[in-house]
Amino acid sequence: MTTNDDYAADIVRQYDRDRYLATLLAPEAQRPALMALYAFNAEIARIREVVSEPLPGEVRLQWWRDLLDGTEHGAVASNPVANTLTQTIATYRLPRPGLLAMTEARIFDLYDDPMPSLNDLEGYLGETVSGLIQLACLVLNNGRDPGTATAAGHAGVAYGLTGLMRALPWHASRRQMFLPNDIVSRHGLDPESVFQGKISPQLRSVLRELGEHVRHHLKRVRQVADTIPEECSNAFLPLVLVEPFLKKLEAPDFDPLQEIAEISQLRRQWILWRASTKPLLRL
């Protein structure tokens, strides 16, 4: 691995521990490219955390869009993630529109607008999480079409939605609402109560319905698991953590506004390793 590869891997280790641990179980030849993809995702996903207002965030996203469009940037040479991502795109012939769509979707993160509907949320997760899984499949399949678009679509929604529910205390603290407004309204949940950290039966009902959507998409992944090339199974490996996270979220004494549903790293590593030795259908 080059210095750029090491830097990208460290970004993933810090900000995306699930994918970092899963990538350690991937074929060695593809690990640097997977780390490059995941580091890029981590960099654009955490932009809101490093800017004080939306406009500088949009500038940062535009920098990545320009890079992906082929516009020269003098700072690229000094950006390890940009360097290793560019090499990965070239080596595995990755489609730039998918990467551009990821950056476009992340504009939503910079503002406090409510997520309008479940359909909009699934679209957002499709561009961000599902798109990342599909790109990882291309890497694992050495740049050839893996035929995993459907499986990646459902997997991304299941994994991404679980992640958003786990991050509810964090989002609520900055008055950001990823819970879809149509479901929030149907259950009579007052968003202001969420921002104030007040647990309610209405919030638990919203989370229960979203948990059902997660399990629906997990079921759809299992239904098409036999269409996923064995080489691509590592891209789906973090999905095995979804059910344990849901059990934490659904525990009667769990406060989804004050606690983060977490699994110890040792157990997380064990779950991922054990799943990596089994057929994908068991995920």
Side-chain angles (χ1 to χ4, degrees), residues 24-47:
L24 296 181
L25 299 168
E28 186 174 1
Q30 279 87 30
R31 284 178 207 164
L34 291 173
M35 292 293 189
L37 276 177
Y38 299 153
F40 163 69
N41 177 65
E43 291 286 74
I44 62 173
R46 66 190 186 96
I47 285 178

Side-chain angles (χ1 to χ4, degrees), residues 218-219 221-222 225 228 232-241 243 271-272 274-276 278-283:
L218 281 178
K219 181 179 178 181
V221 175
R222 294 187 180 105
I228 302 172
C232 298
S233 60
N234 186 269
F236 294 88
L237 192 54
L239 228 57
V240 300
L241 299 171
E243 284 284 4
I271 292 171
L272 289 167
R274 185 178 59 183
S276 72
K278 296 181 179 181
L280 186 60
L281 194 59
R282 299 285 295 277
L283 293 180

